[in-house]
Amino acid sequence: MSAYTLKVRRYQPEAEEDDKRGAYWETFDVELDPTLSVLDGLLQAKNDKDGTLAVRCSCRAAICGSCGVKINGQSTLACKTQLGEAAEEAARMARNGGGEAEIVVEPMGNMPVIKDLVTDMESTHWTKFRRVTPWLLPSGPPPEREYIVPAESMVDVTQSVACIQCGACVSSCLSMEADPDFIGPAALAKAYRFVGDPRDGQTTERLYDLANDPHGMYDCTHCFSCIDACPKGVAPMNQIMRLRRLAGDDHGIRDVNNGHNHEMAFVKNIKKKGTLDESLLLQESYAPGVKGKLMPRVSAIKGLLGSIPTAIRGIKTGKMRSVPKLIPGVHHKLPGDAQGHVEEIYERAEESKIQLNLYIIGEGGEEDHAAEEVEPESVSEEPTTA
Amino acid sequence: MPEHDVLVIGAGLAGQRAALAAAEKGVSVGIISKVHPVRSHSNAAQGGINAALDVDDSWESHAFDTIKGSDYLGDQDAIEVMCREAPEELLHLEHIGVTFHRNEKGELGTRAFGGASKARTYYVADITGQAIMHVLYEQLMKYSEQIDRYEEWFTTDLAIDEEGRCVGAVTRNIKDGTTEVFKAKSVILASGGNGQIWQPTTNALICTGDGIAMAYRAGATLMDMEMIQYHPTTLAGKGFLITEGARGEGAHLLNAKGERFMEKYAPNKMELASRDVVSRAEQTEINEGRGFPDGTVALDVTVVPRKRIHEALREIVLVGRDFAGVDITREPIHIKPGNHYTMGGVKTDIWGRTNVPGLYAAGEVACVSVHGGNRLGANSLLDTLIFGRRSGEDGAQHAKGHGFGQVSRTVLSDAEARVDAIIARKHEGGRRVSEIKAELGKTMDEKVAVFRDEEGIQSALEIVQRLKEEATSAYIDDRGTVFNQDVLGAIELQNMLENAEACCMAALERKESRGAQYRTDYPERNDEEWLKHIDVSMNGEGPEISYSPVTITDWQPQERTY
């Protein structure tokens, strides 16, 4: 048994006391074994001290997805986070940033709060979820027996099937913070579940739809937050990247958002320069290749002109620090033969093309061991994007 | 007042399947759940679903295994229905999108499971329940024009008219605390089991036997309430489930001396004997001092190839890592028998009909009885789907032939008054709801578990009756309307205590050992006197015991060995 302090972000919509109007903090001291979870801590506080403390929970074993919260700022499940670990993290944060070593528990982000740790997932998460037509759309009537499909294809989509809709990824999504209309990591991972399923008959339609939606698959900025947050190893960002590769490469979808071209511009840019040459990036995004630059389309010119305010803002805020960076071609080169190494990495990655699927390769530390057993997949995966 | 031809209460596998089947018959459907449907406890079914689909398999073989597994207490007409319809249901699930495991030819592939004479368990890694339930939820959204969903609504009671027919239900919207009477021509209970009566349990916090208690109060008969399954492989202390699929994939059970002790208890089936047999074997090892100091034995998964573990048992790799700090691919994990499943429940026929006209039950809340004294692994998903569908179909048929009943005007005010009374309880003199719940859980796990005797059950019953009394004054803190989980907890406690009382009475009554009921004071099965169901119904304010015959078609009781 150890003593822990939970600092909980509370909101009691019906509170009449002055100090409970709006959101406020309250600390609870609990005593539990360090291997028990933050949810166990919250439930001890609720059961023994304050029954008004609201938190959704059911299975206690990271299966039902009810108890999505933020712990020490990280979106996760309360039942999956051990008190001992959370306390260590809190102590580390206190050492680095000052303040008390308290386990901070807050409701999930990117969603309205109903009461304490209970958020309104219906108006956010579930609405986005329904946006991706989340059911199988086979072409034609079913066969007499089962659909015959490759065994690997079922294992492949199992990673997104493993999603329990807890909302931790949605809570952590930085793109959604900037664009609340972004369909988001959970719903897009769900979309991949159908796109990757050989029984679905609407693959192209689904990809076309999500590529051309201004808040669709190209709204993700590769920040990895959802991968960190996901308690089930679904790695939503990876599923989004697979959607993009399928859309842009395999189905040749040139989206109105210019998303595919923008992505390819990164790939080419790094292959050529090693680090990002932002002055070339925009040109390449809107007017790819020599042909694009010699005969730019009207939309390319419009797009480039439209980017000028962003570029100016970049200079003003100091994001773009050196003026030479604005001049195409002046970008510095990597020292020695480093650029050659970069190109080798590209080649190696192109050759191996393994799918990053936990159901196939296992957890961290075992990749080497497991990778030997992995057969190359039929679906190609570009090694690097942005 | 919302009106639906068919109203489904509970939205796990049985409830969602019932709603979809009813909608297919062209009636209007409402489905109510106290949690969001995908939070339902069907999620926790890891291992798979049984069906004799393979050409070398037969429904008769599946039926025999199930009957033997039930220790001959299962009703054979119902078991026949379930096993015959299993392949078609499985293919239906596959067609609507469940990502079942395939063999090299791309056909559906199986794994071995306990108590089965053939490998007939179809699965999605070790998240089969979750995978199926999310697909059904997809279908609920697809058919959202025919099916209205009421997510996070807590049903407090059934509405019964003067002739004793079920005509709807009273439900509280958890988000704002308003209470509504739902009118319906058919009401299908699919609200799950009562595992929370035991602590620890593999069951979710929501499994509080609400449906069983509501039906019982409404005049429905309960059956086989003494039959409570202890799962052989649960994490000590926390009660988390380690799938039987682990043993299906070849994992061993070892005592502290490193012996594969199942050799003594089930020399043929070893670790894959039926669950009651394996749980008793483990408990015997532990009681006789061959367990580990923490009161456990070990499950050794390391004998399963690593690649196979990652592909087929990933969830329990996570459970081991996150909840026990053990890498199961490298070392054995300590486990013990833990409360897992309610074989008994609301007594129904093979169409889910209860003795209350207009009221149906399906899934763990119900007792058809296909599981009898002991459920086989991977038969529970099947039970929910087959009898969920049949209830939905018959419920729709019933609705077409009947009008809406007359809901008494006092139903709503009674329900509101009940909540108001709980909220008004004073803190002085009473106990906290959570305190009573904890005492109940501990009592049942000590006295009504793997091994039972008269003294223990009698003392459990007395404690339960005292707790029932105490629960009437148990107090809560939350007096609000928005997301008041406190008041729901008080209602759940009352439901749990009604379940516990029925369970203890039935366990006391059955003076023999059969399936999950092992009486150390009556260690033999006694077909002459006890090859019958024990029914419990409410007579006035108290429970009353009666009996009903076991339906036997082709399979006469035999001695049961594995």
Short mmCIF file of all heavy atoms in Angstrom, two decimals, chain B residues 278-299:
data_model
loop_
_atom_site.label_atom_id
_atom_site.label_comp_id
_atom_site.label_asym_id
_atom_site.label_seq_id
_atom_site.Cartn_x
_atom_site.Cartn_y
_atom_site.Cartn_z
N VAL B 278 -11.70 -27.97 -14.52
CA VAL B 278 -10.37 -27.36 -14.40
C VAL B 278 -10.31 -26.45 -13.18
O VAL B 278 -9.33 -26.47 -12.42
CB VAL B 278 -10.00 -26.58 -15.69
CG1 VAL B 278 -8.61 -25.97 -15.56
CG2 VAL B 278 -10.06 -27.49 -16.91
N SER B 279 -11.36 -25.69 -12.95
CA SER B 279 -11.37 -24.79 -11.78
C SER B 279 -11.28 -25.57 -10.48
O SER B 279 -10.55 -25.18 -9.56
CB SER B 279 -12.63 -23.92 -11.78
OG SER B 279 -12.53 -22.90 -12.74
N ARG B 280 -12.01 -26.68 -10.41
CA ARG B 280 -11.94 -27.50 -9.19
C ARG B 280 -10.56 -28.10 -9.01
O ARG B 280 -10.03 -28.16 -7.91
CB ARG B 280 -12.98 -28.62 -9.23
CG ARG B 280 -14.31 -28.23 -8.61
CD ARG B 280 -15.19 -29.43 -8.33
NE ARG B 280 -15.55 -30.18 -9.52
CZ ARG B 280 -16.51 -29.82 -10.36
NH1 ARG B 280 -17.20 -28.71 -10.14
NH2 ARG B 280 -16.78 -30.53 -11.42
N ALA B 281 -9.95 -28.54 -10.12
CA ALA B 281 -8.61 -29.11 -10.04
C ALA B 281 -7.62 -28.07 -9.50
O ALA B 281 -6.84 -28.35 -8.60
CB ALA B 281 -8.18 -29.58 -11.43
N GLU B 282 -7.70 -26.87 -10.03
CA GLU B 282 -6.80 -25.80 -9.56
C GLU B 282 -7.02 -25.51 -8.09
O GLU B 282 -6.07 -25.42 -7.31
CB GLU B 282 -7.05 -24.51 -10.35
CG GLU B 282 -6.62 -24.57 -11.80
CD GLU B 282 -6.98 -23.29 -12.55
OE1 GLU B 282 -7.54 -22.37 -11.92
OE2 GLU B 282 -6.71 -23.23 -13.76
N GLN B 283 -8.30 -25.37 -7.72
CA GLN B 283 -8.61 -25.03 -6.33
C GLN B 283 -8.14 -26.14 -5.39
O GLN B 283 -7.67 -25.88 -4.29
CB GLN B 283 -10.12 -24.78 -6.18
CG GLN B 283 -10.50 -24.01 -4.91
CD GLN B 283 -9.86 -22.62 -4.86
OE1 GLN B 283 -9.97 -21.84 -5.80
NE2 GLN B 283 -9.17 -22.32 -3.77
N THR B 284 -8.25 -27.40 -5.84
CA THR B 284 -7.77 -28.52 -5.04
C THR B 284 -6.26 -28.44 -4.85
O THR B 284 -5.75 -28.59 -3.74
CB THR B 284 -8.14 -29.86 -5.73
OG1 THR B 284 -9.55 -29.86 -5.97
CG2 THR B 284 -7.78 -31.05 -4.87
N GLU B 285 -5.55 -28.16 -5.94
CA GLU B 285 -4.09 -28.01 -5.84
C GLU B 285 -3.74 -26.91 -4.84
O GLU B 285 -2.86 -27.05 -4.00
CB GLU B 285 -3.49 -27.66 -7.22
CG GLU B 285 -3.56 -28.78 -8.25
CD GLU B 285 -2.70 -29.99 -7.88
OE1 GLU B 285 -1.49 -29.80 -7.66
OE2 GLU B 285 -3.26 -31.10 -7.80
N ILE B 286 -4.44 -25.79 -4.96
CA ILE B 286 -4.16 -24.64 -4.09
C ILE B 286 -4.49 -25.00 -2.63
O ILE B 286 -3.68 -24.79 -1.73
CB ILE B 286 -4.96 -23.40 -4.55
CG1 ILE B 286 -4.49 -22.94 -5.94
CG2 ILE B 286 -4.86 -22.26 -3.54
CD1 ILE B 286 -5.44 -22.00 -6.66
N ASN B 287 -5.68 -25.61 -2.43
CA ASN B 287 -6.10 -25.95 -1.06
C ASN B 287 -5.18 -26.99 -0.41
O ASN B 287 -5.00 -26.99 0.80
CB ASN B 287 -7.53 -26.49 -1.05
CG ASN B 287 -8.54 -25.42 -1.42
OD1 ASN B 287 -8.20 -24.24 -1.54
ND2 ASN B 287 -9.79 -25.82 -1.61
N GLU B 288 -4.62 -27.88 -1.24
CA GLU B 288 -3.78 -28.93 -0.67
C GLU B 288 -2.30 -28.54 -0.63
O GLU B 288 -1.42 -29.38 -0.44
CB GLU B 288 -3.98 -30.23 -1.47
CG GLU B 288 -5.38 -30.79 -1.29
CD GLU B 288 -5.67 -32.05 -2.09
OE1 GLU B 288 -4.77 -32.51 -2.83
OE2 GLU B 288 -6.80 -32.56 -2.00
N GLY B 289 -2.03 -27.26 -0.84
CA GLY B 289 -0.68 -26.74 -0.60
C GLY B 289 0.28 -26.85 -1.77
O GLY B 289 1.48 -26.66 -1.59
N ARG B 290 -0.23 -27.18 -2.94
CA ARG B 290 0.67 -27.26 -4.09
C ARG B 290 0.59 -26.03 -4.99
O ARG B 290 1.07 -26.03 -6.12
CB ARG B 290 0.37 -28.53 -4.90
CG ARG B 290 0.75 -29.82 -4.15
CD ARG B 290 0.55 -31.06 -4.98
NE ARG B 290 -0.84 -31.30 -5.33
CZ ARG B 290 -1.74 -31.88 -4.53
NH1 ARG B 290 -1.39 -32.27 -3.32
NH2 ARG B 290 -2.97 -32.06 -4.92
N GLY B 291 -0.05 -24.99 -4.48
CA GLY B 291 -0.10 -23.73 -5.22
C GLY B 291 1.04 -22.82 -4.80
O GLY B 291 1.89 -23.20 -4.00
N PHE B 292 1.05 -21.62 -5.35
CA PHE B 292 2.04 -20.62 -4.96
C PHE B 292 1.54 -19.90 -3.70
O PHE B 292 0.35 -19.95 -3.39
CB PHE B 292 2.26 -19.63 -6.11
CG PHE B 292 2.90 -20.26 -7.31
CD1 PHE B 292 2.12 -20.70 -8.38
CD2 PHE B 292 4.27 -20.44 -7.38
CE1 PHE B 292 2.70 -21.30 -9.49
CE2 PHE B 292 4.86 -21.05 -8.48
CZ PHE B 292 4.07 -21.48 -9.53
N PRO B 293 2.47 -19.22 -3.00
CA PRO B 293 2.07 -18.55 -1.75
C PRO B 293 0.94 -17.53 -1.94
O PRO B 293 0.19 -17.27 -1.00
CB PRO B 293 3.35 -17.85 -1.29
CG PRO B 293 4.46 -18.58 -1.96
CD PRO B 293 3.92 -19.11 -3.24
N ASP B 294 0.80 -16.98 -3.15
CA ASP B 294 -0.28 -15.99 -3.35
C ASP B 294 -1.61 -16.67 -3.69
O ASP B 294 -2.53 -16.03 -4.19
CB ASP B 294 0.11 -14.96 -4.42
CG ASP B 294 0.45 -15.60 -5.76
OD1 ASP B 294 0.64 -16.84 -5.81
OD2 ASP B 294 0.52 -14.86 -6.77
N GLY B 295 -1.70 -17.97 -3.42
CA GLY B 295 -2.97 -18.66 -3.65
C GLY B 295 -3.29 -18.88 -5.11
O GLY B 295 -4.44 -18.74 -5.53
N THR B 296 -2.26 -19.21 -5.90
CA THR B 296 -2.48 -19.37 -7.33
C THR B 296 -1.76 -20.61 -7.85
O THR B 296 -0.96 -21.23 -7.13
CB THR B 296 -1.89 -18.17 -8.12
OG1 THR B 296 -0.47 -18.12 -7.86
CG2 THR B 296 -2.53 -16.87 -7.71
N VAL B 297 -2.04 -20.95 -9.11
CA VAL B 297 -1.19 -21.87 -9.87
C VAL B 297 -0.72 -21.08 -11.09
O VAL B 297 -1.04 -19.90 -11.22
CB VAL B 297 -1.96 -23.16 -10.28
CG1 VAL B 297 -2.23 -24.03 -9.07
CG2 VAL B 297 -3.23 -22.82 -11.02
N ALA B 298 0.04 -21.76 -11.98
CA ALA B 298 0.63 -20.98 -13.09
C ALA B 298 0.09 -21.45 -14.43
O ALA B 298 -0.19 -22.64 -14.64
CB ALA B 298 2.15 -21.11 -13.07
N LEU B 299 -0.06 -20.49 -15.32
CA LEU B 299 -0.40 -20.77 -16.72
C LEU B 299 0.85 -20.49 -17.54
O LEU B 299 1.38 -19.38 -17.52
CB LEU B 299 -1.55 -19.87 -17.18
CG LEU B 299 -1.95 -20.00 -18.65
CD1 LEU B 299 -2.69 -21.31 -18.90
CD2 LEU B 299 -2.84 -18.83 -19.08
#
